[in-house]
Amino acid sequence: MSERSNMVGDLAPVVGYHLRRASGVFAADFAAAMEGTGMRQVLIGILAVVSGSPGINQGAVGRVLGIKRANMVSLINELVDADLIERVVDTADRRAFALTVTPSGATLLAACLRKIETHEDRLLAGFTAAEKNMLLDFLGRIERRGAPPA
Amino acid sequence: MSERSNMVGDLAPVVGYHLRRASGVFAADFAAAMEGTGMRQVLIGILAVVSGSPGINQGAVGRVLGIKRANMVSLINELVDADLIERVVDTADRRAFALTVTPSGATLLAACLRKIETHEDRLLAGFTAAEKNMLLDFLGRIERRGAPPA
DNA sequence: TATTGTTATACTCTATAACTATA
DNA sequence: TATAGTTATAGAGTATAACAATA
């Protein structure tokens, strides 16, 4: 038996362990797929959420993605500095910033989503469409058991 | 539609995104379940692997769990300092340490595994046994697509 | 009072490079 | 020369507490 197959002993039936490892496999391949774009998982997440909800503010984006307000600040700064999102004071609530994706942000997001599709297809090559849908369903059910974001 | 249901837009069909979120839900609940034990996900992983392969050395544990040699050092130190594992020079290869779980390490691991079972049952409450097995199968297939550990 | 964004800070996880001692 | 362990270091993710401006 090789070192990789089943040396994990008591961990073998632990879903949380395998979620962690599988998530790591995706993260590593994601990083490789994004090489040259400067994008990371979190940044793509923010870009996608802002793209889907133009005018949304930082706090709301954070609540959707499970990112704390305090940690949103530098992430948004990165995206603004890279001219991928625009941040203007919300006229309806002057505490908040209305976020929108810039043209170059939209272009980059589209390009990244194409790369992500290839990356996902590579990692899920052994999955039928039905299996992939089941996996997405299972993961969604787990996500909804999480504590609501602060 | 609430903020939590589907504001993720283009991320909705992205398995890697949902793996990340679901893994985070498990990690947060795991941490809560381990409160008072001083244990974290990585430490339990190491304890379980050493428990299943007494005499194994640090490098091998790292390869099984996907932890780099350099990062193993302080983790093993933590476990040794807490008297949960014992580290003795391997007589067959004096570069290496043979690792074993101490009696208190075995007791703590057993106690944690019981807590983990409760924690997993809570998060997977909506899953049938067949669904849980399918999920474990899916995750295992993804893990095996990862780059072999350095 | 509550909320938006911010700063400061700290801990964990992960990664690389360079070193030592053994093999 | 290759491997086991180590040190130092850096980047990224995540967490809390406290503050200013606005609601």
Side-chain angles (χ1 to χ4, degrees), chain B residues 86-133:
Chain B
E86 196 184 20
R87 171 177 47 190
V88 302
V89 174
D90 186 333
T91 50
D93 181 346
R94 290 175 21 247
R95 292 173 302 186
F97 290 123
L99 304 176
T100 48
V101 173
T102 66
S104 48
T107 302
L108 182 60
L109 176 59
C112 287
L113 287 173
R114 280 193 300 273
K115 287 178 199 288
I116 290 169
E117 207 177 327
T118 306
H119 134 81
E120 292 245 326
D121 287 348
R122 177 169 53 243
L123 289 183
L124 298 173
F127 285 66
T128 67
E131 286 176 329
K132 178 177 164 177
N133 284 334

Side-chain angles (χ1 to χ4, degrees), chain B residues 34-132:
Chain B
M34 288 302 115
E35 233 193 14
T37 67
M39 288 294 100
R40 309 191 302 277
Q41 282 182 313
V42 203
L43 298 179
I44 291 290
I46 295 173
L47 219 45
V49 168
V50 173
S51 166
S53 303
I56 194 173
N57 66 41
Q58 293 183 199
V61 174
R63 280 189 294 276
V64 170
L65 293 174
I67 305 171
K68 295 253 183 300
R69 294 179 302 290
N71 296 324
M72 285 298 297
V73 180
S74 63
L75 295 170
I76 295 291
N77 284 342
E78 273 189 78
L79 292 169
V80 169
D81 292 348
D83 188 37
L84 300 173
I85 71 173
E86 196 184 20
R87 171 177 47 190
V88 302
V89 174
D90 186 333
T91 50
D93 181 346
R94 290 175 21 247
R95 292 173 302 186
F97 290 123
L99 304 176
T100 48
V101 173
T102 66
S104 48
T107 302
L108 182 60
L109 176 59
C112 287
L113 287 173
R114 280 193 300 273
K115 287 178 199 288
I116 290 169
E117 207 177 327
T118 306
H119 134 81
E120 292 245 326
D121 287 348
R122 177 169 53 243
L123 289 183
L124 298 173
F127 285 66
T128 67
E131 286 176 329
K132 178 177 164 177

